[in-house]
Amino acid sequence: MEAEKKKLVCCKCQKELEMMKTDFTYLGHSFFTELPRCPECGQVYITEELVRSRISEVEMQLEDK
Amino acid sequence: MIHNEVIHDTWSVCPVCLRRIPAQRIRKGDEVFLRKKCIDHGSFETIIWRGFSEINEWVNGSDIHFSDEPQCPDNCGLCTDHLQKTCCVLLNITDRCNLSCSFCLADQDNNSIDPSFEEICESLQNLIVKGKTLVQLSGGEPTVREDLPEIIRAAKTKGAKYVQLNSNGIRLGEDKDYARKLAEAGLSFVFMQFDGNSDAINESLRGKALLKIKQQAIDNCAAFNIGVTLVPTIVRNVNLGNIGQILEFAISQSPKVRGVHFQPVSYFGRTPGTPTDEKRITLDELVFEIEKQTNGLIRYNNLLPSCCDHPLCGFHGDFVVDGKSLIPLSKKEINEGAGCCDTTAAEKNRQFVARRWQRPAGETENSTSCCGDIHNMEYFLTRVATHGFTVTAMAFQDAGNIDFARLKHCSFHVYDKGRYVPFCAYYLTSWRG
């Protein structure tokens, strides 16, 4: 929990990341979700946990059998 | 004069004596036929493609080329030359039925003696691979057995991952407590015969009005969170023109109904006479009718040729129901080539169909309300789990159109006395009767 509360800072702009609506596409489908993002350059931080859970679930649902 | 072009050399059977004979797929104009000649019974030609789309594009190089005469179907069970593993395995638990349909692949026999519970348990013990197997309990009509809940429980106890019931739905509609017992025993989902949304169709194909009881069966299954996939047998001049209404009804019943699985009529078991080309419904015609009768809600591009089986054996489309709209997840231009056509396809297919046909645990009316943006990742993931919807088809082969290039790819097997037999080989019957 402590780690989750830590501030995330953009390595390039040194700005604190803010939760912002972020669009992504996969196999021709577009989605959005809230992700930590640099307000300056727009770089997005995606945690490994998110990749392994929700994003891989989206992949599984969209990939052909 | 129409030019005849051989597009594939294959093998089939004489529809009269069932002798194995060479066959060819012949293109005549837009149409494609399976042509074969028996030295005793003459030449036969059966339409297999009407030309609503290009057959070679649909098959997409999936055909095998025979260098030697195959042993099909004599050695089915399975032989080392078979090209696909088992995706779903069917176990026949009775030949009895509470209907007497004009078309019946199993040709029900109400005087037959059912296999005992112990015999069924022994079969289940032998066929189940723990944590993997999808077993279909079939018949006849399996719900005529009072011990069906115990059979389902035995299948789950022995490690079946999914237990599917193939049913006409009558008992499920009449006896809600029976549906409850099946659910409690661990039934995963039901494939329910549903030929159309008018009783004229039911009376023509099944001999009686059934619409009301089918709706009750859907509702009774929903009460215990059992997903129902509707299975229409499509027959020309009976319900070919009802495809759009069947889909419209199924979508309106989401999430209780998980999809529609079309079966163009095949001529094995009990059928009203020998088939003519005019009566047959080819896979490309079915796709065309789906697109036409849904006014483009479901398009040719959303229905992908089977990868688990031979492309001429079926197709699958994956959707999400959101409000009254149907959002396609499968698209030819994106998914083509993404699927795996080797033997792992059976495993992938099993996981895919079960994901869609089984309702999520603990789902209730309240958890399935529609109030979100499908592009919102969290809403999409919830919605696809509760309201995933499949449009699939399986074109079974009969003595007229059986093609061993297709049979060798079959992943749908009947288990019988230790053997796994491709479905169409198991039920193959001669036109002689």
Side-chain angles (χ1 to χ4, degrees):
Chain A
M1 290 301 286
E2 280 303 305
E4 283 175 21
K5 284 178 186 170
K6 277 183 185 168
K7 286 178 184 175
L8 292 167
V9 175
C10 176
C11 59
K12 189 172 144 197
C13 312
Q14 300 305 309
K15 296 270 186 187
E16 190 178 327
L17 304 191
E18 296 170 9
M19 292 301 284
M20 293 168 75
K21 183 180 168 187
T22 306
D23 297 308
F24 66 97
T25 62
Y26 187 70
L27 289 175
H29 299 272
S30 59
F31 297 99
F32 64 82
T33 192
E34 294 268 317
L35 288 175
R37 192 170 184 175
C38 174
E40 186 85 11
C41 69
Q43 190 163 229
V44 170
Y45 177 68
I46 305 174
T47 64
E48 191 177 336
E49 188 199 353
L50 187 70
V51 171
R52 287 180 186 275
S53 57
R54 307 303 270 165
I55 291 178
S56 67
E57 211 174 314
V58 171
E59 288 175 1
M60 184 187 73
Q61 295 290 357
L62 291 178
E63 281 176 11
D64 189 28
K65 54 185 184 173
Chain B
M1 183 178 166
I2 296 175
H3 174 66
N4 292 354
E5 176 199 358
V6 177
I7 60 172
H8 195 68
D9 287 301
T10 183
W11 287 80
S12 183
V13 296
C14 167
V16 179
C17 64
L18 297 184
R19 175 190 290 137
R20 180 171 52 246
I21 51 177
Q24 293 176 316
R25 292 187 207 143
I26 306 275
R27 189 196 296 276
K28 292 183 183 179
D30 291 335
E31 297 177 323
V32 180
F33 297 80
L34 190 73
R35 178 190 284 175
K36 50 196 176 180
K37 186 176 182 181
C38 172
I39 51 170
D40 291 329
H41 300 103
S43 297
F44 300 90
E45 209 169 80
T46 302
I47 192 154
I48 57 170
W49 200 260
R50 292 198 187 274
F52 289 101
S53 57
E54 169 52 46
I55 188 170
N56 287 337
E57 193 181 290
W58 184 269
V59 172
N60 197 21
S62 296
D63 267 322
I64 57 163
H65 298 273
F66 292 98
S67 50
D68 301 310
E69 181 176 344
Q71 296 305 303
C72 318
D74 302 344
N75 285 349
C76 277
L78 301 162
C79 78
T80 52
D81 291 338
H82 198 70
L83 297 172
Q84 187 54 279
K85 291 182 178 173
T86 303
C87 173
C88 307
V89 56
L90 183 146
L91 184 66
N92 185 0
I93 61 170
T94 183
D95 286 333
R96 296 180 295 130
C97 187
N98 49 3
L99 279 178
S100 188
C101 307
S102 51
F103 287 91
C104 178
L105 65 94
D107 199 5
Q108 124 275 4
D109 176 5
N110 287 335
N111 295 317
S112 67
I113 297 168
D114 290 347
S116 68
F117 178 71
E118 290 70 27
E119 285 170 327
I120 289 170
C121 283
E122 191 182 337
S123 294
L124 290 170
Q125 184 69 41
N126 293 334
L127 70 88
I128 288 170
V129 178
K130 279 186 181 174
K132 286 198 168 185
T133 299
L134 191 167
V135 59
Q136 297 189 13
L137 300 176
S138 199
E141 170 55 43
T143 62
V144 298
R145 288 190 70 127
E146 292 306 317
D147 61 356
L148 182 58
E150 285 72 37
I151 293 170
I152 291 168
R153 188 168 286 113
K156 292 296 284 186
T157 304
K158 291 175 192 306
K161 190 163 186 185
Y162 308 105
V163 180
Q164 173 181 322
L165 170 64
N166 296 340
S167 173
N168 58 31
I170 293 175
R171 179 86 186 264
L172 296 172
E174 286 175 345
D175 188 348
K176 190 173 181 179
D177 197 49
Y178 188 75
R180 177 186 62 77
K181 287 178 187 167
L182 302 185
E184 286 174 358
L187 180 62
S188 307
F189 36 81
V190 175
F191 252 40
M192 192 178 85
Q193 176 196 87
F194 187 93
D195 300 309
N197 67 343
S198 90
D199 271 330
I201 292 170
N202 286 318
E203 278 161 13
S204 171
L205 287 180
R206 310 298 170 190
K208 58 165 78 169
L210 294 166
L211 206 53
K212 203 173 165 187
I213 199 71
K214 300 272 181 183
Q215 178 68 67
Q216 194 59 54
I218 292 169
D219 293 340
N220 287 351
C221 286
F224 304 107
N225 214 34
I226 304 170
V228 176
T229 294
L230 304 183
V231 185
T233 301
I234 301 297
V235 182
R236 195 177 301 284
N237 299 327
V238 178
N239 61 353
L240 181 61
N242 197 244
I243 285 171
Q245 290 176 63
I246 292 170
L247 283 162
E248 191 180 343
F249 172 76
I251 293 164
S252 77
Q253 296 287 307
S254 171
K256 295 183 282 188
V257 168
R258 315 299 297 169
V260 180
H261 183 74
F262 291 100
Q263 294 178 347
V265 65
S266 300
Y267 292 83
F268 48 15
R270 184 173 60 234
T271 63
T274 306
T276 60
D277 281 345
E278 291 70 34
K279 287 181 182 169
R280 288 191 182 274
I281 296 161
T282 60
L283 206 56
D284 62 314
E285 183 179 14
L286 178 60
V287 173
F288 172 79
E289 289 294 337
I290 289 172
E291 178 161 346
K292 185 179 83 174
Q293 293 183 37
T294 60
N295 298 315
L297 185 67
I298 299 170
R299 295 185 179 278
Y300 167 80
N301 273 346
N302 303 134
L303 302 174
L304 311 180
S306 178
C307 204
C308 184
D309 299 293
H310 190 280
L312 291 176
C313 292
F315 58 74
H316 63 279
D318 194 18
F319 303 85
V320 182
V321 178
D322 197 36
K324 285 186 178 173
S325 67
L326 197 62
I327 297 158
L329 301 181
S330 49
K331 298 173 184 176
K332 271 201 185 68
E333 63 274 22
I334 290 169
N335 295 112
E336 211 149 57
C340 188
C341 294
D342 61 22
T343 52
T344 63
E347 175 82 26
K348 287 184 176 180
N349 186 52
R350 183 165 56 243
Q351 289 170 3
F352 167 81
V353 296
R355 195 161 65 230
R356 291 290 179 262
W357 295 341
Q358 189 168 36
R359 298 188 70 178
E363 192 183 329
T364 64
E365 291 284 331
N366 292 337
S367 68
T368 59
S369 62
C370 169
C371 52
D373 183 342
I374 200 69
H375 297 291
N376 180 329
M377 183 180 78
E378 293 302 327
Y379 178 74
F380 167 76
L381 285 174
T382 305
R383 194 74 187 167
V384 76
T386 58
H387 288 72
F389 188 91
T390 60
V391 178
T392 51
M394 183 153 280
F396 293 125
Q397 305 177 82
D398 55 47
N401 59 14
I402 193 164
D403 178 337
F404 292 169
R406 291 173 57 185
L407 194 69
K408 277 194 170 297
H409 278 277
C410 178
S411 71
F412 179 30
H413 304 147
V414 179
Y415 182 85
D416 189 8
K417 298 182 183 71
R419 296 188 311 145
Y420 294 84
V421 185
F423 184 90
C424 298
Y426 188 84
Y427 285 107
L428 188 66
T429 43
S430 147
W431 288 356
R432 207 156 34 190

